Short mmCIF file of all heavy atoms in Angstrom, two decimals:
data_model
loop_
_atom_site.label_atom_id
_atom_site.label_comp_id
_atom_site.label_asym_id
_atom_site.label_seq_id
_atom_site.Cartn_x
_atom_site.Cartn_y
_atom_site.Cartn_z
N MET A 356 -47.42 97.20 -171.19
CA MET A 356 -47.05 98.52 -171.66
C MET A 356 -45.90 99.12 -170.86
O MET A 356 -45.46 100.24 -171.13
CB MET A 356 -48.27 99.47 -171.61
CG MET A 356 -49.43 99.00 -172.45
SD MET A 356 -48.94 98.64 -174.16
CE MET A 356 -50.46 97.90 -174.76
N ASP A 357 -45.43 98.41 -169.86
CA ASP A 357 -44.30 98.89 -169.07
C ASP A 357 -42.98 98.56 -169.77
O ASP A 357 -42.88 97.57 -170.50
CB ASP A 357 -44.30 98.24 -167.68
CG ASP A 357 -45.45 98.74 -166.81
OD1 ASP A 357 -45.98 99.82 -167.13
OD2 ASP A 357 -45.81 98.05 -165.84
N VAL A 358 -41.98 99.38 -169.52
CA VAL A 358 -40.66 99.12 -170.08
C VAL A 358 -39.87 98.27 -169.10
O VAL A 358 -40.29 98.02 -167.98
CB VAL A 358 -39.92 100.44 -170.39
CG1 VAL A 358 -40.58 101.14 -171.56
CG2 VAL A 358 -39.90 101.36 -169.18
N HIS A 359 -38.67 97.83 -169.50
CA HIS A 359 -37.92 96.83 -168.75
C HIS A 359 -37.61 97.23 -167.31
O HIS A 359 -37.64 96.40 -166.41
CB HIS A 359 -36.63 96.49 -169.49
CG HIS A 359 -36.84 95.55 -170.62
ND1 HIS A 359 -35.81 95.09 -171.42
CD2 HIS A 359 -37.96 94.96 -171.12
CE1 HIS A 359 -36.29 94.27 -172.35
NE2 HIS A 359 -37.58 94.19 -172.19
N HIS A 360 -37.30 98.51 -167.09
CA HIS A 360 -36.90 98.88 -165.72
C HIS A 360 -38.07 98.75 -164.75
O HIS A 360 -37.88 98.50 -163.56
CB HIS A 360 -36.30 100.28 -165.70
CG HIS A 360 -37.30 101.39 -165.58
ND1 HIS A 360 -38.08 101.80 -166.62
CD2 HIS A 360 -37.61 102.18 -164.52
CE1 HIS A 360 -38.86 102.79 -166.23
NE2 HIS A 360 -38.60 103.05 -164.96
N HIS A 361 -39.32 98.88 -165.25
CA HIS A 361 -40.49 98.66 -164.40
C HIS A 361 -40.60 97.18 -164.01
O HIS A 361 -40.91 96.84 -162.87
CB HIS A 361 -41.77 99.10 -165.11
CG HIS A 361 -41.91 100.58 -165.21
ND1 HIS A 361 -42.28 101.22 -166.37
CD2 HIS A 361 -41.70 101.57 -164.30
CE1 HIS A 361 -42.32 102.52 -166.18
NE2 HIS A 361 -41.96 102.77 -164.94
N TRP A 362 -40.37 96.30 -164.99
CA TRP A 362 -40.40 94.87 -164.71
C TRP A 362 -39.30 94.50 -163.71
O TRP A 362 -39.55 93.73 -162.77
CB TRP A 362 -40.20 94.07 -166.00
CG TRP A 362 -41.39 94.10 -166.93
CD1 TRP A 362 -42.56 94.77 -166.73
CD2 TRP A 362 -41.52 93.42 -168.18
NE1 TRP A 362 -43.41 94.55 -167.81
CE2 TRP A 362 -42.81 93.73 -168.69
CE3 TRP A 362 -40.69 92.58 -168.91
CZ2 TRP A 362 -43.25 93.23 -169.91
CZ3 TRP A 362 -41.14 92.08 -170.13
CH2 TRP A 362 -42.41 92.40 -170.62
N THR A 363 -38.11 95.05 -163.89
CA THR A 363 -37.00 94.74 -162.98
C THR A 363 -37.34 95.15 -161.56
O THR A 363 -37.09 94.40 -160.60
CB THR A 363 -35.72 95.46 -163.45
OG1 THR A 363 -35.42 95.06 -164.79
CG2 THR A 363 -34.55 95.11 -162.55
N LYS A 364 -37.92 96.34 -161.40
CA LYS A 364 -38.30 96.80 -160.06
C LYS A 364 -39.33 95.86 -159.43
O LYS A 364 -39.30 95.60 -158.22
CB LYS A 364 -38.87 98.22 -160.14
CG LYS A 364 -37.82 99.29 -160.39
CD LYS A 364 -38.46 100.67 -160.38
CE LYS A 364 -37.41 101.76 -160.57
NZ LYS A 364 -38.02 103.12 -160.58
N LEU A 365 -40.25 95.35 -160.25
CA LEU A 365 -41.25 94.42 -159.72
C LEU A 365 -40.59 93.16 -159.17
O LEU A 365 -40.90 92.72 -158.07
CB LEU A 365 -42.25 94.06 -160.82
CG LEU A 365 -43.20 92.89 -160.51
CD1 LEU A 365 -44.09 93.22 -159.33
CD2 LEU A 365 -44.03 92.52 -161.72
N PHE A 366 -39.69 92.56 -159.95
CA PHE A 366 -39.01 91.35 -159.49
C PHE A 366 -38.18 91.63 -158.23
O PHE A 366 -38.08 90.77 -157.35
CB PHE A 366 -38.13 90.78 -160.60
CG PHE A 366 -38.90 90.07 -161.68
CD1 PHE A 366 -39.13 90.68 -162.91
CD2 PHE A 366 -39.41 88.80 -161.47
CE1 PHE A 366 -39.84 90.02 -163.91
CE2 PHE A 366 -40.12 88.14 -162.46
CZ PHE A 366 -40.34 88.76 -163.68
N GLU A 367 -37.60 92.82 -158.14
CA GLU A 367 -36.83 93.18 -156.95
C GLU A 367 -37.72 93.27 -155.72
O GLU A 367 -37.28 93.00 -154.60
CB GLU A 367 -36.10 94.50 -157.18
CG GLU A 367 -34.96 94.43 -158.20
CD GLU A 367 -34.38 95.79 -158.52
OE1 GLU A 367 -35.02 96.81 -158.15
OE2 GLU A 367 -33.30 95.84 -159.15
N ARG A 368 -38.98 93.64 -155.92
CA ARG A 368 -39.92 93.80 -154.79
C ARG A 368 -40.62 92.52 -154.40
O ARG A 368 -41.41 92.51 -153.45
CB ARG A 368 -40.98 94.86 -155.13
CG ARG A 368 -40.46 96.28 -155.25
CD ARG A 368 -41.60 97.28 -155.14
NE ARG A 368 -42.63 97.03 -156.13
CZ ARG A 368 -42.70 97.62 -157.32
NH1 ARG A 368 -41.76 98.50 -157.66
NH2 ARG A 368 -43.68 97.35 -158.15
N LEU A 369 -40.38 91.43 -155.12
CA LEU A 369 -41.11 90.20 -154.84
C LEU A 369 -41.00 89.72 -153.40
O LEU A 369 -41.98 89.24 -152.82
CB LEU A 369 -40.67 89.09 -155.80
CG LEU A 369 -41.22 89.20 -157.24
CD1 LEU A 369 -40.74 88.03 -158.09
CD2 LEU A 369 -42.74 89.26 -157.24
N PRO A 370 -39.82 89.79 -152.73
CA PRO A 370 -39.77 89.37 -151.32
C PRO A 370 -40.76 90.10 -150.43
O PRO A 370 -41.36 89.50 -149.54
CB PRO A 370 -38.31 89.69 -150.92
CG PRO A 370 -37.55 89.56 -152.20
CD PRO A 370 -38.47 90.10 -153.26
N SER A 371 -40.97 91.40 -150.68
CA SER A 371 -41.95 92.14 -149.88
C SER A 371 -43.38 91.69 -150.20
O SER A 371 -44.24 91.67 -149.31
CB SER A 371 -41.81 93.65 -150.14
OG SER A 371 -42.11 93.98 -151.49
N TYR A 372 -43.63 91.30 -151.46
CA TYR A 372 -44.94 90.75 -151.80
C TYR A 372 -45.18 89.42 -151.09
O TYR A 372 -46.30 89.14 -150.64
CB TYR A 372 -45.06 90.55 -153.32
CG TYR A 372 -45.38 91.82 -154.09
CD1 TYR A 372 -44.48 92.35 -155.01
CD2 TYR A 372 -46.59 92.47 -153.92
CE1 TYR A 372 -44.77 93.50 -155.72
CE2 TYR A 372 -46.90 93.61 -154.62
CZ TYR A 372 -45.99 94.13 -155.53
OH TYR A 372 -46.28 95.27 -156.22
N PHE A 373 -44.15 88.60 -151.01
CA PHE A 373 -44.29 87.32 -150.31
C PHE A 373 -44.59 87.54 -148.83
O PHE A 373 -45.37 86.78 -148.22
CB PHE A 373 -43.02 86.48 -150.48
CG PHE A 373 -42.74 86.09 -151.91
CD1 PHE A 373 -41.43 85.98 -152.38
CD2 PHE A 373 -43.77 85.84 -152.80
CE1 PHE A 373 -41.17 85.64 -153.69
CE2 PHE A 373 -43.53 85.49 -154.12
CZ PHE A 373 -42.21 85.39 -154.56
N ASP A 374 -44.00 88.58 -148.23
CA ASP A 374 -44.30 88.91 -146.84
C ASP A 374 -45.77 89.31 -146.70
O ASP A 374 -46.44 88.91 -145.73
CB ASP A 374 -43.41 90.06 -146.36
CG ASP A 374 -41.96 89.64 -146.18
OD1 ASP A 374 -41.72 88.42 -146.03
OD2 ASP A 374 -41.08 90.52 -146.19
N LEU A 375 -46.26 90.11 -147.65
CA LEU A 375 -47.66 90.53 -147.61
C LEU A 375 -48.59 89.33 -147.79
O LEU A 375 -49.67 89.28 -147.18
CB LEU A 375 -47.93 91.57 -148.69
CG LEU A 375 -49.33 92.20 -148.70
CD1 LEU A 375 -49.64 92.87 -147.38
CD2 LEU A 375 -49.45 93.22 -149.85
N GLN A 376 -48.20 88.36 -148.60
CA GLN A 376 -49.00 87.14 -148.75
C GLN A 376 -49.15 86.42 -147.42
O GLN A 376 -50.24 85.94 -147.08
CB GLN A 376 -48.34 86.20 -149.77
CG GLN A 376 -48.69 86.49 -151.22
CD GLN A 376 -48.13 85.43 -152.14
OE1 GLN A 376 -46.94 85.12 -152.13
NE2 GLN A 376 -49.00 84.86 -152.96
N ARG A 377 -48.06 86.33 -146.66
CA ARG A 377 -48.13 85.66 -145.36
C ARG A 377 -49.05 86.43 -144.40
O ARG A 377 -49.82 85.82 -143.65
CB ARG A 377 -46.72 85.54 -144.77
CG ARG A 377 -45.86 84.49 -145.49
CD ARG A 377 -44.55 84.26 -144.78
NE ARG A 377 -43.59 85.33 -145.06
CZ ARG A 377 -42.74 85.30 -146.07
NH1 ARG A 377 -42.72 84.27 -146.91
NH2 ARG A 377 -41.89 86.31 -146.25
N LYS A 378 -49.00 87.76 -144.44
CA LYS A 378 -49.90 88.56 -143.61
C LYS A 378 -51.35 88.37 -144.04
O LYS A 378 -52.26 88.37 -143.21
CB LYS A 378 -49.51 90.04 -143.71
CG LYS A 378 -48.15 90.38 -143.11
CD LYS A 378 -47.85 91.87 -143.27
CE LYS A 378 -46.48 92.20 -142.71
NZ LYS A 378 -46.15 93.65 -142.90
N LEU A 379 -51.55 88.19 -145.35
CA LEU A 379 -52.91 87.99 -145.87
C LEU A 379 -53.50 86.69 -145.34
O LEU A 379 -54.67 86.63 -144.96
CB LEU A 379 -52.87 87.97 -147.40
CG LEU A 379 -54.20 87.73 -148.11
CD1 LEU A 379 -55.16 88.88 -147.84
CD2 LEU A 379 -53.99 87.57 -149.61
N VAL A 380 -52.70 85.63 -145.30
CA VAL A 380 -53.17 84.35 -144.77
C VAL A 380 -53.60 84.49 -143.31
O VAL A 380 -54.64 83.96 -142.89
CB VAL A 380 -52.07 83.27 -144.91
CG1 VAL A 380 -52.48 81.99 -144.20
CG2 VAL A 380 -51.79 82.99 -146.38
N ILE A 381 -52.80 85.23 -142.54
CA ILE A 381 -53.14 85.46 -141.13
C ILE A 381 -54.44 86.24 -141.02
O ILE A 381 -55.31 85.92 -140.19
CB ILE A 381 -52.00 86.22 -140.43
CG1 ILE A 381 -50.73 85.36 -140.39
CG2 ILE A 381 -52.41 86.63 -139.02
CD1 ILE A 381 -49.51 86.07 -139.85
N LEU A 382 -54.61 87.26 -141.87
CA LEU A 382 -55.84 88.06 -141.85
C LEU A 382 -57.05 87.23 -142.22
O LEU A 382 -58.12 87.35 -141.61
CB LEU A 382 -55.67 89.24 -142.80
CG LEU A 382 -56.83 90.25 -142.86
CD1 LEU A 382 -57.11 90.85 -141.50
CD2 LEU A 382 -56.52 91.36 -143.88
N GLU A 383 -56.91 86.36 -143.22
CA GLU A 383 -58.02 85.47 -143.60
C GLU A 383 -58.39 84.55 -142.45
O GLU A 383 -59.59 84.30 -142.20
CB GLU A 383 -57.64 84.66 -144.84
CG GLU A 383 -57.58 85.48 -146.12
CD GLU A 383 -57.10 84.67 -147.31
OE1 GLU A 383 -56.38 83.66 -147.09
OE2 GLU A 383 -57.42 85.04 -148.45
N ASP A 384 -57.40 84.04 -141.72
CA ASP A 384 -57.67 83.18 -140.57
C ASP A 384 -58.39 83.95 -139.47
O ASP A 384 -59.29 83.41 -138.80
CB ASP A 384 -56.36 82.59 -140.03
CG ASP A 384 -55.75 81.56 -140.97
OD1 ASP A 384 -56.50 81.04 -141.83
OD2 ASP A 384 -54.55 81.28 -140.85
N GLN A 385 -58.03 85.20 -139.26
CA GLN A 385 -58.67 86.01 -138.24
C GLN A 385 -60.14 86.26 -138.58
O GLN A 385 -61.01 86.19 -137.72
CB GLN A 385 -57.92 87.34 -138.08
CG GLN A 385 -56.54 87.20 -137.45
CD GLN A 385 -55.75 88.50 -137.47
OE1 GLN A 385 -55.92 89.32 -138.37
NE2 GLN A 385 -54.87 88.68 -136.50
N ILE A 386 -60.39 86.56 -139.87
CA ILE A 386 -61.78 86.75 -140.31
C ILE A 386 -62.56 85.45 -140.16
O ILE A 386 -63.71 85.43 -139.71
CB ILE A 386 -61.81 87.24 -141.77
CG1 ILE A 386 -61.20 88.64 -141.88
CG2 ILE A 386 -63.23 87.23 -142.33
CD1 ILE A 386 -61.07 89.16 -143.30
N SER A 387 -61.93 84.33 -140.53
CA SER A 387 -62.57 83.03 -140.41
C SER A 387 -62.96 82.74 -138.97
O SER A 387 -64.05 82.23 -138.69
CB SER A 387 -61.63 81.93 -140.93
OG SER A 387 -62.20 80.65 -140.75
N SER A 388 -62.08 83.09 -138.03
CA SER A 388 -62.36 82.86 -136.61
C SER A 388 -63.55 83.68 -136.14
O SER A 388 -64.40 83.18 -135.39
CB SER A 388 -61.12 83.21 -135.78
OG SER A 388 -61.37 83.06 -134.41
N LEU A 389 -63.65 84.93 -136.61
CA LEU A 389 -64.78 85.79 -136.21
C LEU A 389 -66.10 85.32 -136.82
O LEU A 389 -67.17 85.65 -136.31
CB LEU A 389 -64.51 87.23 -136.64
CG LEU A 389 -63.39 87.97 -135.89
CD1 LEU A 389 -63.17 89.35 -136.50
CD2 LEU A 389 -63.74 88.10 -134.41
N LEU A 390 -66.01 84.54 -137.92
CA LEU A 390 -67.22 84.08 -138.60
C LEU A 390 -67.49 82.60 -138.36
O LEU A 390 -68.06 81.91 -139.19
CB LEU A 390 -67.10 84.34 -140.11
CG LEU A 390 -67.04 85.81 -140.54
CD1 LEU A 390 -66.84 85.92 -142.04
CD2 LEU A 390 -68.31 86.54 -140.12
N GLY A 391 -67.05 82.10 -137.23
CA GLY A 391 -67.38 80.72 -136.86
C GLY A 391 -66.70 79.67 -137.70
O GLY A 391 -67.23 78.57 -137.86
N GLY A 392 -65.55 79.97 -138.26
CA GLY A 392 -64.81 78.97 -139.02
C GLY A 392 -65.05 79.00 -140.50
O GLY A 392 -64.53 78.16 -141.24
N ILE A 393 -65.86 79.96 -141.01
CA ILE A 393 -66.07 80.08 -142.45
C ILE A 393 -64.75 80.42 -143.12
O ILE A 393 -64.02 81.30 -142.68
CB ILE A 393 -67.12 81.17 -142.77
CG1 ILE A 393 -68.50 80.75 -142.28
CG2 ILE A 393 -67.16 81.46 -144.27
CD1 ILE A 393 -69.57 81.79 -142.51
N GLN A 394 -64.42 79.72 -144.18
CA GLN A 394 -63.18 79.98 -144.89
C GLN A 394 -63.37 81.12 -145.90
O GLN A 394 -64.37 81.18 -146.60
CB GLN A 394 -62.70 78.73 -145.63
CG GLN A 394 -62.20 77.63 -144.69
CD GLN A 394 -61.73 76.43 -145.49
OE1 GLN A 394 -62.54 75.62 -145.94
NE2 GLN A 394 -60.43 76.32 -145.65
N VAL A 395 -62.39 82.00 -145.94
CA VAL A 395 -62.40 83.11 -146.89
C VAL A 395 -61.55 82.72 -148.09
O VAL A 395 -60.37 82.41 -147.94
CB VAL A 395 -61.84 84.39 -146.25
CG1 VAL A 395 -61.88 85.54 -147.25
CG2 VAL A 395 -62.63 84.75 -144.99
N ILE A 396 -62.14 82.74 -149.26
CA ILE A 396 -61.39 82.40 -150.47
C ILE A 396 -61.64 83.48 -151.51
O ILE A 396 -62.69 84.14 -151.51
CB ILE A 396 -61.78 81.03 -151.05
CG1 ILE A 396 -63.27 80.99 -151.40
CG2 ILE A 396 -61.43 79.91 -150.08
CD1 ILE A 396 -63.68 79.74 -152.13
N TYR A 397 -60.67 83.68 -152.38
CA TYR A 397 -60.77 84.66 -153.47
C TYR A 397 -60.85 83.90 -154.79
O TYR A 397 -59.96 83.12 -155.10
CB TYR A 397 -59.55 85.58 -153.47
CG TYR A 397 -59.54 86.57 -154.60
CD1 TYR A 397 -60.21 87.77 -154.51
CD2 TYR A 397 -58.84 86.29 -155.78
CE1 TYR A 397 -60.19 88.68 -155.55
CE2 TYR A 397 -58.81 87.19 -156.82
CZ TYR A 397 -59.49 88.39 -156.70
OH TYR A 397 -59.47 89.28 -157.74
N ILE A 398 -61.91 84.14 -155.56
CA ILE A 398 -62.09 83.50 -156.85
C ILE A 398 -61.97 84.56 -157.92
O ILE A 398 -62.85 85.40 -158.10
CB ILE A 398 -63.44 82.77 -156.94
CG1 ILE A 398 -63.55 81.73 -155.81
CG2 ILE A 398 -63.59 82.08 -158.29
CD1 ILE A 398 -64.85 80.99 -155.78
N GLU A 399 -60.85 84.54 -158.64
CA GLU A 399 -60.52 85.59 -159.57
C GLU A 399 -61.49 85.67 -160.74
O GLU A 399 -61.69 86.73 -161.33
CB GLU A 399 -59.10 85.36 -160.10
CG GLU A 399 -58.47 86.57 -160.71
CD GLU A 399 -56.99 86.34 -160.97
OE1 GLU A 399 -56.66 85.40 -161.70
OE2 GLU A 399 -56.18 87.10 -160.43
N GLU A 400 -62.13 84.56 -161.06
CA GLU A 400 -63.00 84.52 -162.24
C GLU A 400 -64.18 85.45 -162.13
O GLU A 400 -64.70 85.94 -163.13
CB GLU A 400 -63.50 83.08 -162.45
CG GLU A 400 -64.45 82.93 -163.61
CD GLU A 400 -64.98 81.52 -163.72
OE1 GLU A 400 -64.57 80.66 -162.93
OE2 GLU A 400 -65.80 81.28 -164.63
N PHE A 401 -64.66 85.71 -160.91
CA PHE A 401 -65.92 86.40 -160.73
C PHE A 401 -65.80 87.90 -160.50
O PHE A 401 -66.75 88.56 -160.14
CB PHE A 401 -66.70 85.77 -159.57
CG PHE A 401 -67.01 84.32 -159.80
CD1 PHE A 401 -66.63 83.37 -158.88
CD2 PHE A 401 -67.63 83.91 -160.96
CE1 PHE A 401 -66.91 82.02 -159.10
CE2 PHE A 401 -67.90 82.58 -161.19
CZ PHE A 401 -67.54 81.62 -160.26
N GLN A 402 -64.62 88.47 -160.63
CA GLN A 402 -64.47 89.90 -160.47
C GLN A 402 -63.22 90.37 -161.21
O GLN A 402 -62.38 89.56 -161.59
CB GLN A 402 -64.37 90.30 -158.99
CG GLN A 402 -63.24 89.64 -158.23
CD GLN A 402 -63.68 88.38 -157.56
OE1 GLN A 402 -64.74 88.32 -156.98
NE2 GLN A 402 -62.87 87.36 -157.64
N PRO A 403 -63.10 91.69 -161.41
CA PRO A 403 -61.87 92.19 -162.04
C PRO A 403 -60.65 91.79 -161.21
O PRO A 403 -60.73 91.62 -160.01
CB PRO A 403 -62.08 93.72 -162.03
CG PRO A 403 -63.55 93.90 -161.93
CD PRO A 403 -64.07 92.75 -161.13
#
Side-chain angles (χ1 to χ4, degrees):
M356 300 307 172
D357 290 339
V358 290
H359 281 181
H360 85 285
H361 287 134
W362 288 2
T363 303
K364 287 183 178 179
L365 169 63
F366 284 103
E367 290 173 347
R368 293 198 304 266
L369 284 182
S371 64
Y372 279 116
F373 297 146
D374 289 339
L375 185 58
Q376 275 187 306
R377 288 187 282 270
K378 294 179 181 178
L379 179 65
V380 172
I381 295 174
L382 183 58
E383 288 176 336
D384 290 341
Q385 291 173 330
I386 294 175
S387 176
S388 177
L389 291 176
L390 295 177
I393 292 178
Q394 289 181 281
V395 181
I396 59 173
Y397 177 85
I398 303 178
E399 199 169 58
E400 178 183 358
F401 300 125
Q402 58 268 317

